Amino acid sequence: MASMLEFRTPGWNPYAVKYSPYYDSRIAVASAANYGIVGNGRVFCLGLGPQGVQIEKTFDTNDAQYDLAWSEINENQLLVACGDGSIKLYDINVNDFPVMNFHEHKRETFSVAWSPITKDTFASSSWDGTIKIWSPARKDSIKTLPVGNCTYSTSYCPSNPHIISAVSTDSHLRIFDLRTPVNAQYHLTTKIPVHVPPPAPLPQGPAPPAVPAEILTHDWNKYNQTVIATGGVDKVIRTFDIRNPSAGPASVMMGHEYAVRRLAWSPHAQDILISASYDMTVRLWTDGSTMPQQQSSPVKAGIQLGIMNRHSEFVTGVDWCLFGVGGWVATVGWDERVLLWDANKLLQGTQ
């Protein structure tokens, strides 16, 4: 197979890409006309075959699309987060229209995530400052979790269906545990200020900024399931262990020149993650957790393992393929391109 496959989305600027959890040959891309400022949205369902990347299905929406998530209970269904505040559930076997429409958010829905454990709920977050929990079988939400400011990303803990995380414009990582009493905190159990420097000195090198900045993306480690990585406007990737929220970052990764728009932990290795940035690059990192302890500091200095700079505009989405030899990723950017490539080649310096 060629070292990089490409698919173009003329007239549509992608915002997110996700590999199917069922097939290594199926990918979906959420996109928007006019960079998501005004106009319609289109989700592309793409298939990988001998002829390269081919369109299997497209669905258009009246507003921009900012995120998507494949269903965990039906291989042919996927959710799309829309700029009008709605979330639409599409079925590849049903033409044109969504099979369900969920519309309670008052502003743009910017993130959707399907529960990987129980598989019977999904979560959404919005610029209206809330997270909502939904069942795909009913149009009304099950629960609303107030964050209070623009919430860019929400996710389920990969090992516990009751724990939900979120990052937002106020520079905090929040953890909600739905088993706790509702009380005044609305299930909020942990609130970590991402920008605060750790009590211990940082490793050698420049210190990350210690001023609040919008957090745009986060992801749970797939092997160490108390560890979350965050990225945002201050260009720094940090990891946190939620068992010790006051300890500050466990590792720090610096190198991006503009905001980190999306990051994803590898499903194949516990210390590897990949990040997409407004600096038009995609970077591969180790968080340093598998390396020997550095002197004088408990904070690991993560290491950049490689850089992919084939995009010519903001890179907005990245995802790992769950299958195969373990290293294929999909990236999308505002250059109207979907690129599929082998991250292992970055390690060999050949990408």
Side-chain angles (χ1 to χ4, degrees):
M1 184 177 280
S3 62
M4 184 173 288
L5 298 173
E6 179 176 333
F7 177 82
R8 291 189 174 267
T9 60
W12 302 95
N13 305 108
Y15 264 86
V17 61
K18 294 286 171 63
Y19 270 98
S20 165
Y22 300 94
Y23 303 108
D24 61 358
S25 59
R26 182 175 278 177
I27 294 169
V29 177
S31 68
N34 306 307
Y35 304 96
I37 299 168
V38 64
N40 297 355
R42 174 173 291 179
V43 59
F44 295 83
C45 299
L46 306 175
L48 281 61
Q51 276 74 48
V53 185
Q54 306 282 331
I55 293 179
E56 292 185 348
K57 200 81 155 190
T58 63
F59 296 102
D60 288 4
T61 52
N62 290 332
D63 217 316
Q65 299 176 3
Y66 294 130
D67 198 19
L68 56 83
W70 286 98
S71 167
E72 293 282 352
I73 51 176
N74 186 324
E75 64 195 36
N76 294 314
Q77 293 186 349
L78 72 164
L79 292 165
V80 177
C82 297
D84 62 0
S86 69
I87 305 139
K88 301 184 189 304
L89 180 66
Y90 287 102
D91 190 307
I92 290 173
N93 296 321
V94 178
N95 291 333
D96 300 331
F97 298 107
V99 292
M100 287 288 284
N101 188 52
F102 312 90
H103 198 169
E104 290 183 12
H105 284 301
K106 301 293 190 290
R107 291 198 60 195
E108 291 86 340
T109 304
F110 217 66
S111 172
V112 284
W114 206 292
S115 171
I117 304 296
T118 60
K119 305 182 187 298
D120 59 352
T121 62
F122 64 89
S124 62
S125 73
S126 169
W127 290 9
D128 68 7
T130 66
I131 301 164
K132 289 183 181 285
I133 313 298
W134 310 80
S135 162
R138 49 183 280 190
K139 66 181 182 64
D140 299 320
S141 64
I142 300 168
K143 192 178 291 289
T144 299
L145 306 173
V147 175
N149 55 87
C150 181
T151 310
Y152 288 114
S153 172
T154 188
S155 185
Y156 282 87
C157 173
S159 62
N160 189 326
H162 304 288
I163 296 177
I164 290 172
S165 56
V167 293
S168 58
T169 193
D170 71 350
S171 197
H172 282 77
L173 165 66
R174 288 171 169 82
I175 309 295
F176 299 87
D177 189 334
L178 302 182
R179 297 167 297 186
T180 59
V182 176
N183 66 32
Q185 293 292 312
Y186 288 94
H187 305 290
L188 180 67
T189 56
T190 306
K191 185 179 176 184
I192 300 174
V194 169
H195 58 281
V196 172
L202 289 164
Q204 296 291 326
V211 294
E214 294 190 316
I215 311 301
L216 304 178
T217 180
H218 76 298
D219 194 31
W220 293 79
N221 190 295
K222 307 305 184 289
Y223 292 87
N224 189 348
Q225 291 169 353
T226 60
V227 172
I228 295 176
T230 67
V233 170
D234 68 1
K235 307 176 283 191
V236 182
I237 299 168
R238 300 172 176 86
T239 69
F240 297 90
D241 191 323
I242 62 173
R243 294 172 300 182
N244 192 0
S246 62
S251 66
V252 174
M253 286 153 274
M254 299 175 66
H256 278 298
E257 297 171 23
Y258 290 104
V260 179
R261 178 63 180 81
R262 188 90 63 164
L263 57 78
W265 286 100
S266 169
H268 310 291
Q270 69 180 54
D271 65 316
I272 300 295
L273 68 158
I274 201 162
S275 58
S277 168
Y278 289 158
D279 66 9
M280 307 187 209
T281 69
V282 179
R283 301 182 191 227
L284 188 69
W285 309 83
T286 172
D287 69 350
S289 61
T290 59
M291 298 188 300
Q293 179 70 38
Q294 293 154 338
Q295 299 85 2
S296 78
S297 177
V299 184
K300 297 281 190 179
I303 295 173
Q304 181 178 301
L305 302 176
I307 181 168
M308 193 282 285
N309 54 11
R310 303 281 187 90
H311 283 287
S312 57
E313 250 292 359
F314 292 171
V315 190
T316 52
V318 61
D319 195 31
W320 294 86
C321 180
L322 295 174
F323 306 102
V325 293
W328 277 87
V329 295
T331 57
V332 295
W334 277 5
D335 54 4
E336 303 179 351
R337 291 196 300 161
V338 184
L339 299 179
L340 312 177
W341 47 280
D342 186 356
N344 292 321
K345 294 283 177 42
L346 283 186
L347 302 178
Q348 302 159 13
T350 58
Q351 187 65 50

